[in-house]
Amino acid sequence: AQKITQTQPGMFVQEKEAVTLDCTYDTSDQSYGLFWYKQPSSGEMIFLIYQGSYDEQNATEGRYSLNFQKARKSANLVISASQLGDSAMYFCAMSPTNDYKLSFGAGTTVTVRA
Amino acid sequence: DAGITQSPRYKITETGRQVTLMCHQTWSHSYMFWYRQDLGHGLRLIYYSAAADITDKGEVPDGYVVSRSKTENFPLTLESATRSQTSVYFCASSESNLIAVYGYTFGSGTRLTVV
């Protein structure tokens, strides 16, 4: 079974600054994918970024980047140049590529201040 | 419309009643999932399906039943609703060769209240 840990229940960040959301995971699988999702107050789940366990480069997607440290089992999300619209709950998730069952962390609430 | 649709969006039911939450996807994705979201727990997997007629338990399956007779539909049934099943339920779908680009696609959720 996989375990995803997000230790920051809530964070405040100033507009235009960068913020790093921590995520660690525990798995015995060798091949897996790591995901970050955004859940705004409206409730929908928005896919942000994906990192494969065998990808050598860190994933980037616009203002989102994933700092992947495989040996430390860490997959932190960096949001650069924060915007007010980034205020939301952010979930780290992981699935092994042998069954695709996606497991989630408890989430981190980000509040962007003007 | 293309996508993944959940119905109803909101449901209030009484303890002991059977209730079915519907999920329909138009992409013919192989994988479908049901999650529940509760404060402090993130999303927890209830059941998943790798293809039509193939289902398996997730982390919190007790009190729930699923079926998948057609690829596009994956209903979730609460056999005898309890107050502890008050939650927001999300359906999701994915296809293995699309995961890296699109991730898992989620429905809009069903907010279920058991009174």
Side-chain angles (χ1 to χ4, degrees):
Chain A
Q2 293 76 39
K3 184 176 180 181
I4 316 299
T5 303
Q6 295 181 252
T7 58
Q8 305 151 311
M11 297 183 71
F12 291 94
V13 60
Q14 206 64 30
E15 196 177 11
K16 300 180 184 177
E17 292 186 349
V19 61
T20 298
L21 308 184
D22 295 339
C23 173
T24 58
Y25 58 93
D26 188 19
T27 183
S28 57
D29 294 286
Q30 296 301 308
S31 179
Y32 50 88
L34 295 156
F35 304 77
W36 278 91
Y37 278 83
K38 173 183 178 181
Q39 187 179 43
S41 58
S42 53
E44 71 265 35
M45 295 291 290
I46 302 169
F47 167 64
L48 295 178
I49 196 165
Y50 167 86
Q51 176 85 42
S53 60
Y54 290 111
D55 294 341
E56 294 186 350
Q57 290 197 328
N58 287 339
T60 61
E61 192 67 48
R63 295 186 297 109
Y64 304 106
S65 60
L66 198 153
N67 184 0
F68 179 45
Q69 298 187 47
K70 191 172 183 177
R72 300 178 66 177
K73 294 187 176 179
S74 166
N76 296 341
L77 177 72
V78 180
I79 306 173
S80 63
S82 296
Q83 303 172 357
L84 295 177
D86 294 333
S87 294
M89 176 81 86
Y90 290 82
F91 291 99
C92 179
M94 195 203 84
S95 72
T97 50
N98 60 353
D99 67 16
Y100 297 104
K101 285 192 286 187
L102 190 66
S103 299
F104 284 83
T108 296
T109 300
V110 172
T111 303
V112 180
R113 290 168 163 161
Chain B
D1 289 342
I4 183 164
T5 306
Q6 290 184 237
S7 61
R9 287 298 308 275
Y10 303 92
K11 177 75 175 178
I12 299 174
T13 192
E14 294 177 340
T15 302
R17 287 194 180 269
Q18 183 182 83
V19 60
T20 297
L21 309 184
M22 304 301 294
C23 179
H24 174 78
Q25 52 111 350
T26 59
W27 294 298
S28 298
H29 285 171
S30 298
Y31 294 90
M32 295 190 75
F33 309 84
W34 274 105
Y35 290 89
R36 61 176 290 172
Q37 183 176 17
D38 305 290
L39 196 62
H41 290 281
L43 280 76
R44 292 181 292 175
L45 182 64
I46 305 171
Y47 269 95
Y48 80 110
S49 170
D53 297 322
I54 300 175
T55 62
D56 203 356
K57 296 178 180 179
E59 182 184 353
V60 289
D62 292 344
Y64 303 96
V65 174
V66 293
S67 62
R68 196 172 176 200
S69 57
K70 293 184 177 181
T71 299
E72 62 267 29
N73 295 323
F74 192 38
L76 175 74
T77 297
L78 287 67
E79 296 180 295
S80 178
T82 66
R83 289 197 179 89
S84 64
Q85 292 177 309
T86 292
S87 187
V88 179
Y89 291 85
F90 284 98
C91 179
S93 70
S94 69
E95 190 60 59
S96 57
N97 63 340
L98 300 175
I99 281 175
V101 178
Y102 297 106
Y104 293 65
T105 304
F106 283 78
S108 300
T110 293
R111 185 175 294 274
L112 176 69
T113 302
V114 183
V115 298

